[in-house]
Amino acid sequence: MLKGKTALVTGSTSGIGLGIARALAQQGADIVLNGFGDTDGPQAEIAALGVKVAYHGADMSQPAEIEAMMKFAAMQFGRVDILVNNAGIQHVAKIENFSVERWDAVIAINLSSAFHATRLALPAMQAADGGKGWGRILNVASVHGLVGSAEKSAYVAAKHGIVGLTKVTALENAITGITCNAICPGWVLTPLVQKQVDAKAAAGNISNEEATRQLLGEKEPSMQFTTPEELGALAVFFCSPAGNNVRGVAWNMDGGWAAQ
Ligand code: NAD
């Protein structure tokens, strides 16, 4: 379905971003990966799906590096048709104790990076399809784009911000073939959340299983993690022809978290 399209997924060396990159590659999209840590493993995994893959190590907190990544993607594949703004970090502390440096980093990586990648991707998307425009911008927000939780001020502010950015991007391109939507997961067992499980286990002197049960029990009525595969399938829907007129939504996949 996505053969001939190029998808750039930020923060795709791990977790949700890698799950979405895999799902888009399974539909035939060529992939530009980004993120830290092991990069060879994810590149080999995507290449094994029979699509072209490239990697750029831009630090998403740095606008100049984002600009270099977008130029690199255009040079490699001609154009970015699908942009998935996914890179994100978490920091947990009460506001009065929240490090200013961590606040700036969370806002830069979880919110401003999406603005920069989007502003740089839009001109080529607008020129696509003989000037009618074609593109898909998916912002990986969070259920924290819809509701708050204590001790996550920067994360909740950034995620509410990216839901707002999603709506404006969708509206500004509403008469084109470019759609922009947000995906709002509840708990997904990735390294980002494993750190929070580990912290809970250490603080309560409880097992990993008990910490996991408590973590889910506090927020997620289904008592189940959403998986990167399920989020990948949702991303594929937004990129499909059936998603042509889905514009500016914030779609939660959260086991009922925001329904409470
Ligand atoms: P993860 O830690 O597994 O992956 C994060 C990715 O971002 C990695 O590839 C990492 O290398 C990359 N990254 C981090 N800082 C970066 C930077 N400065 N520049 C470039 N890349 C950087 O986390 P995840 O859980 O897969 O999170 C992905 C997205 O999903 C984040 O935006 C997160 O807020 C969101 N999310 C996660 C959950 C969850 O429960 N895990 C829930 C809702 C939303």
Side-chain angles (χ1 to χ4, degrees):
M1 185 179 74
L2 298 175
K3 208 165 168 37
K5 304 279 190 224
T6 298
L8 186 157
V9 187
T10 70
S12 48
T13 49
S14 160
I16 295 169
L18 182 54
I20 291 178
R22 198 184 288 128
L24 297 176
Q26 281 163 350
Q27 295 299 320
D30 296 323
I31 303 289
V32 183
L33 295 170
N34 157 261
F36 302 148
D38 173 30
T39 60
D40 290 345
Q43 283 187 84
E45 191 190 328
I46 298 293
L49 296 170
V51 298
K52 288 186 232 146
V53 60
Y55 166 80
H56 194 281
D59 177 341
M60 295 304 290
S61 68
Q62 304 298 320
E65 293 189 29
I66 298 172
E67 205 160 329
M69 177 181 72
M70 299 306 291
K71 281 193 183 135
F72 167 83
M75 258 171 51
Q76 291 285 315
F77 297 125
R79 182 173 61 224
V80 172
D81 304 286
I82 299 166
L83 170 66
V84 184
N85 290 309
N86 166 79
I89 58 168
Q90 178 61 281
H91 183 71
V92 180
K94 288 196 167 165
I95 293 173
E96 61 273 26
N97 300 326
F98 213 95
S99 126
V100 171
E101 179 270 327
R102 286 289 84 198
W103 170 275
D104 288 344
V106 173
I107 299 296
I109 297 166
N110 295 21
L111 175 58
S112 302
S113 70
F115 161 70
H116 293 298
T118 298
R119 73 179 170 81
L120 295 163
L122 275 173
M125 288 181 177
Q126 287 162 347
D129 198 14
K132 284 189 278 178
W134 196 93
R136 293 288 185 266
I137 300 175
L138 298 179
N139 291 326
V140 180
S142 163
V143 68
H144 283 119
L146 306 170
V147 298
S149 286
E151 302 193 7
K152 295 186 174 173
S153 54
Y155 190 85
V156 170
K159 295 301 188 181
H160 275 67
I162 205 169
V163 168
L165 176 67
T166 301
K167 293 174 184 173
V168 175
T169 308
L171 290 174
E172 287 184 4
N173 293 281
I175 55 162
T176 75
I178 302 165
T179 71
C180 179
N181 293 289
I183 294 177
C184 300
W187 292 123
V188 187
L189 193 55
T190 63
L192 181 141
V193 163
Q194 188 60 50
K195 278 188 212 144
Q196 294 173 66
V197 172
D198 294 346
K200 195 176 254 305
N205 198 20
I206 53 176
S207 67
N208 206 281
E209 290 71 33
E210 178 55 19
T212 301
R213 209 188 56 73
Q214 286 184 14
L215 186 98
L216 287 169
E218 283 164 13
K219 301 281 187 184
E220 192 139 340
S222 67
M223 293 298 286
Q224 281 176 45
F225 289 108
T226 298
T227 65
E229 289 71 27
E230 289 162 347
L231 292 162
L234 180 58
V236 167
F237 164 72
F238 282 124
C239 294
S240 74
N244 274 346
N245 208 24
V246 183
R247 295 173 188 266
V249 307
W251 185 302
N252 38 324
M253 204 183 240
D254 63 355
W257 182 329
Q260 298 168 97

